[in-house]
C-alpha cells in the first residue's frame, strides 16, 4: 500500500475511531494467527472459510496455526481468556487489521484484505442489535457513500430452538429438488443446507426462491426479538430491507444477521460490510452462555464504493511551511528553524538535496505548503528571513529569532500543543 492508498486507509480508520468511540467501543488488537481450533470451532467446519479458505500451517513446534480469516472468533476467544464478560459485564470492542482468506482473487476480493469491526459482548437486548446496525450504516454515511447507493439487508437466523428443524426442512427441500440443483448444493443438504440460499448458480437460485422461509418458522422468542430489532431501526429511520434468504457465510450466527451491499463499483463482491448476533459462540469455546453481536466491513470494498460514488478522500497537506535556503550559507539556520517549527507542532519541510531556490519553491507547492520561509546571505546579514504567503504571494521580513512564533501566528495556530 503506497502513500496514496495508505492515506485513504488512515482516513477510514480515523472516521471509524471517532464514530465508534461515541458508542463506547474500545480498541483491541488480536494476533494475526491463532491455534487453528479457534477458527474451526468458532466459524464452523462446514463453512467455505474453514473448509477451503484458511491459511493453515504447522509451526516448528508441530502446532497447527492459522492466519486469521476474520476477527470475531479471536475477539471472543480473548474476551473469555481475559474474563472481560465475567459476572455479566458488557464489553464493547473494535479492531482493524489484515485478514487472510484463500479465495479466488477478483475485484473487491483478495487473499489479504483489511477489515474494521466491532463486537458488543454481553448484550442480549434487541436495542444492541439496532445500535450495532446503526453504527455500520452511519459509518458508511459519514464517509460519504450516499444512502441511495446502499442497501441494508436484514434477516433472523433463529436459534437452537427453531433453527435445527428449519435446517432439516431445507435439507429435505434440497433432496426433493436434487435434479435441478448443482452438485455443491446437493452436497450442502448434508453439511450446511442453509448455504444453498447463497449459491450464485441461476438455476439453483430459481429453485431456492421457492424454498420455505425461516421467517415463517421462527420460535416465539426469536420472532419477538426480530420484531423489536425492526421497531428500533424504524424509530431511528434506518432503511433496512428484509431478506429471508440472507444466511451469511459463518456458522456462529443466531437471530439477527445483516449486510450492507452496494451496486456501483463492485461487481459480484458487493457486500461492503456485514455481521450479526452470535449468542452461542462463547459456549463453543467452553465459556459461559454470553450473548454477543458485531459487524466487520472491508476496507478495499469500501474504498471502491467511495470511488464509485465520486467521494474524494480529504487530503492532509504534507507540509504547512517550507523552509528554503538561497544557498549553503543558510543551511544551519534553515535546519534549526525547521526543527523549532516542528517542535512547536507545525508540519515543516526543508530541502536535503541542495536544490535551487526555484526547485525548492516547486517542492513547497507540491507538498501543499501555505507558507515558505526563505533564508539567504542577504536576509541573514540582518538577522532576518523572508516569509512568503503562497496564495497571496505577499512577502515580508521576519526576525530569525522569533520567526517560528510569527509563522505560528500567520498559520492562525494558537498554542504549541
Ligand atoms: P464477512 O461477511 O465474512 O464477516 O466479512 C465482512 C466484510 O469483509 C465483507 O462484507 C467484505 O466487505 C470484507 N471481505 C470479506 N472477505 C473479503 C475478501 N476476500 N476480500 C476483500 N474483502 C473481504 C465477518 O468477517 C464477520 N467476522 C463479521 C462479524 C463481526 N460478525 C459478527 N461480528
Amino acid at each position: 500500500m503506497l502513500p496514496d492508498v495508505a492515506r485513504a486507509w488512515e482516513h477510514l480508520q480515523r472516521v471509524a475511531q471517532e464514530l465508534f468511540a461515541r458508542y463506547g467501543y474500545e480498541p483491541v488488537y488480536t494476533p494475526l494467527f491463532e491455534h487453528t481450533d479457534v477458527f474451526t470451532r468458532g466459524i464452523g467446519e462446514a463453512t467455505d472459510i474453514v473448509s477451503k479458505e484458511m491459511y493453515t500451517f504447522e509451526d516448528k513446534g508441530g502446532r497447527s496455526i492459522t492466519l486469521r480469516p476474520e476477527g470475531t472468533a479471536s475477539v471472543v476467544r480473548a474476551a473469555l481468556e481475559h474474563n472481560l464478560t465475567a459476572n455479566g459485564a458488557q464489553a464493547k470492542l473494535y479492531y482493524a487489521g489484515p485478514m487472510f482468506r484463500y479465495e479466488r482473487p477478483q475485484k473487491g476480493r483478495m487473499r489479504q484484505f483489511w477489515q474494521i469491526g466491532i463486537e458488543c459482548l454481553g448484550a442480549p437486548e434487541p436495542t444492541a442489535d439496532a445500535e450495532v446496525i446503526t453504527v455500520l450504516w452511519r459509518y458508511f454515511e459519514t464517509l460519504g457513500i450516499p444512502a441511495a447507493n446502499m442497501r441494508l439487508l436484514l434477516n433472523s437466523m433463529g436459534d437452537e430452538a427453531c433453527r435445527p428443524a428449519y435446517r432439516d426442512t431445507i435439507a429435505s427441500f434440497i433432496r426433493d429438488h436434487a435434479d435441478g440443483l448443482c452438485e455443491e448444493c446437493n452436497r450442502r443438504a448434508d453439511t450446511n443446507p442453509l448455504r444453498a440460499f447463497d449459491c450464485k448458480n441461476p438455476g439453483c437460485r430459481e429453485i431456492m426462491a421457492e424454498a420455505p422461509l425461516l421467517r415463517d418458522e421462527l420460535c416465539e422468542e426469536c420472532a419477538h426479538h426480530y420484531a423489536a430489532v425492526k421497531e428500533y431501526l424504524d424509530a431511528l429511520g434506518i432503511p433496512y430491507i428484509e431478506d429471508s434468504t440472507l444466511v451469511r457465510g459463518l456458522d456462529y450466527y443466531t437471530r439477527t444477521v445483516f449486510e450492507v451491499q452496494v451496486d456501483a463499483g463492485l461487481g459480484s463482491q458487493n457486500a461492503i460490510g456485514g455481521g450479526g448476533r452470535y449468542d452461542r459462540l462463547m459456549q463453543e469455546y467452553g465459556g459461559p452462555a454470553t450473548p454477543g453481536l458485531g459487524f466487520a466491513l472491508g476496507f478495499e470494498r469500501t474504498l471502491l464504493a467511495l470511488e464509485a460514488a465520486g467521494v474524494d478522500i480529504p487530503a492532509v497537506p504534507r507540509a504547512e511551511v517550507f523552509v528554503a535556503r538561497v544557498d549553503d550559507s543558510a543551511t544551519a539556520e534553515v535546519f534549526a528553524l525547521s526543527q523549532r517549527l516542528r517542535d512547536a507542532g507545525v508540519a515543516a519541510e526543508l530541502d536535503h538535496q541542495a536544490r535551487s531556490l526555484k526547485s525548492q519553491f516547486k517542492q513547497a507547492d507540491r507538498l501543499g505548503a501555505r507558507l515558505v520561509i526563505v533564508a539567504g546571505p542577504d536576509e541573514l546579514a540582518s538577522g532576518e528571513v523572508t516569509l512568503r504567503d503562497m496564495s497571496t504571494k505577499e512577502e515580508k521580513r521576519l526576525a530569525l529569532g522569533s520567526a517560528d512564533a510569527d509563522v505560528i501566528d500567520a498559520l492562525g495556530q494558537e498554542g504549541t500543543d
Side-chain angles (χ1 to χ4, degrees):
M1 269 190 279
L2 297 173
D4 266 356
V5 179
R7 261 196 297 277
W9 238 240
E10 295 198 338
H11 174 66
L12 293 196
Q13 292 196 72
R14 242 187 332 266
V15 171
Q17 279 160 12
E18 277 169 26
L19 182 70
F20 298 172
R22 266 186 259 159
Y23 292 83
Y25 285 85
E26 296 184 290
V28 67
Y29 289 78
T30 65
L32 292 191
F33 62 84
E34 301 258 3
H35 287 293
T36 299
D37 183 51
V38 170
F39 302 117
T40 47
R41 259 210 273 178
I43 300 169
E45 300 266 6
T47 58
D48 282 355
I49 296 180
V50 169
S51 65
K52 301 185 203 158
E53 297 168 2
M54 294 210 304
Y55 282 91
T56 297
F57 307 94
E58 206 166 84
D59 73 3
K60 287 187 177 172
R63 290 170 287 252
S64 178
I65 59 163
T66 294
L67 300 185
R68 61 181 186 191
E70 58 109 51
T72 311
S74 305
V75 169
V76 172
R77 187 272 306 145
L80 177 62
E81 196 172 323
H82 301 283
N83 297 318
L84 300 187
T85 52
N87 305 318
Q90 185 182 281
K92 289 176 122 179
L93 305 165
Y94 77 85
Y95 51 89
M99 307 291 162
F100 307 85
R101 295 184 194 176
Y102 193 80
E103 293 191 82
R104 196 167 47 80
Q106 65 182 83
K107 189 172 188 185
R109 188 165 75 190
M110 34 283 290
R111 289 177 173 170
Q112 174 174 327
F113 58 99
W114 267 61
Q115 275 188 349
I116 187 155
I118 69 175
E119 310 296 346
C120 175
L121 306 177
E125 291 286 296
T127 43
D129 305 57
E131 182 181 284
V132 164
I133 293 171
T134 302
V135 177
L136 182 63
W137 188 255
R138 285 279 188 272
Y139 178 70
F140 292 132
E141 280 186 333
T142 308
L143 284 177
I145 303 178
N149 285 23
M150 302 187 281
R151 197 169 40 241
L152 168 62
L153 304 181
L154 182 69
N155 191 21
S156 174
M157 303 278 295
D159 64 6
E160 68 279 11
C162 50
R163 196 167 44 202
Y166 180 69
R167 266 178 68 112
D168 291 346
T169 306
I170 295 301
S172 311
F173 180 86
I174 293 173
R175 291 191 190 102
D176 291 347
H177 296 80
D179 291 348
L181 292 167
C182 72
E183 219 174 285
E184 179 87 34
C185 282
N186 272 294
R187 235 193 332 270
R188 284 174 177 140
D190 299 319
T191 55
N192 205 351
L194 303 197
R195 292 294 298 164
F197 283 113
D198 245 12
C199 186
K200 300 275 185 267
N201 189 325
C204 297
R205 293 187 81 90
E206 211 173 291
I207 292 175
M208 291 309 294
E210 302 297 320
L213 296 175
L214 178 53
R215 183 173 53 196
D216 304 326
E217 314 204 6
L218 291 176
C219 62
E220 210 180 315
E221 280 83 14
C222 286
H224 269 129
H225 194 273
Y226 185 44
V229 173
K230 288 187 287 182
E231 264 169 43
Y232 291 120
L233 289 173
D234 289 338
L236 298 182
I238 304 293
Y240 59 87
I241 300 167
E242 285 186 79
D243 180 352
S244 309
T245 66
L246 179 72
V247 291
R248 311 235 334 115
L250 304 104
D251 273 358
Y252 48 59
Y253 290 120
T254 48
R255 297 190 169 170
T256 314
V257 288
F258 52 92
E259 203 160 276
V260 176
Q261 302 180 348
V262 289
D263 288 321
L266 271 154
S268 65
Q269 301 306 312
N270 63 353
I272 52 177
R277 182 170 273 289
Y278 43 80
D279 291 345
R280 295 186 56 81
L281 184 52
M282 201 175 269
Q283 279 163 290
E284 288 293 329
Y285 297 128
T290 306
L293 73 163
F295 68 69
L297 58 96
F299 270 47
E300 290 84 357
R301 293 186 195 177
T302 301
L303 277 188
L304 288 170
L306 284 170
E307 228 170 74
V311 177
D312 286 328
I313 302 293
V316 181
R318 287 172 56 201
E320 298 165 274
V321 182
F322 193 94
V323 192
R325 57 193 164 151
V326 175
D327 58 33
D328 195 38
S329 68
T331 302
E333 284 77 6
V334 160
F335 187 65
L337 177 55
S338 308
Q339 187 56 39
R340 271 168 30 221
L341 286 166
R342 289 162 168 173
D343 285 341
V346 176
E349 187 54 296
L350 72 159
D351 163 61
H352 290 303
Q353 297 176 304
R355 282 194 276 193
S356 71
L357 193 58
K358 197 170 154 206
S359 322
Q360 293 179 67
F361 267 100
K362 273 196 197 151
Q363 196 192 349
D365 214 30
R366 254 198 322 273
L367 298 176
R370 282 166 55 195
L371 302 173
V372 174
I373 294 172
V374 180
D378 278 359
E379 285 93 348
L380 294 180
S382 47
E384 292 179 323
V385 289
T386 301
L387 178 70
R388 183 180 169 93
D389 185 308
M390 292 291 273
S391 51
T392 64
K393 311 289 178 217
E394 265 171 46
E395 289 192 354
K396 63 178 172 191
R397 291 282 189 115
L398 304 175
L400 174 62
S402 54
D404 43 348
D406 293 337
V407 163
I408 289 165
D409 275 352
L411 286 170
Q413 293 185 348
E414 302 230 287
T416 57
D417 56 356

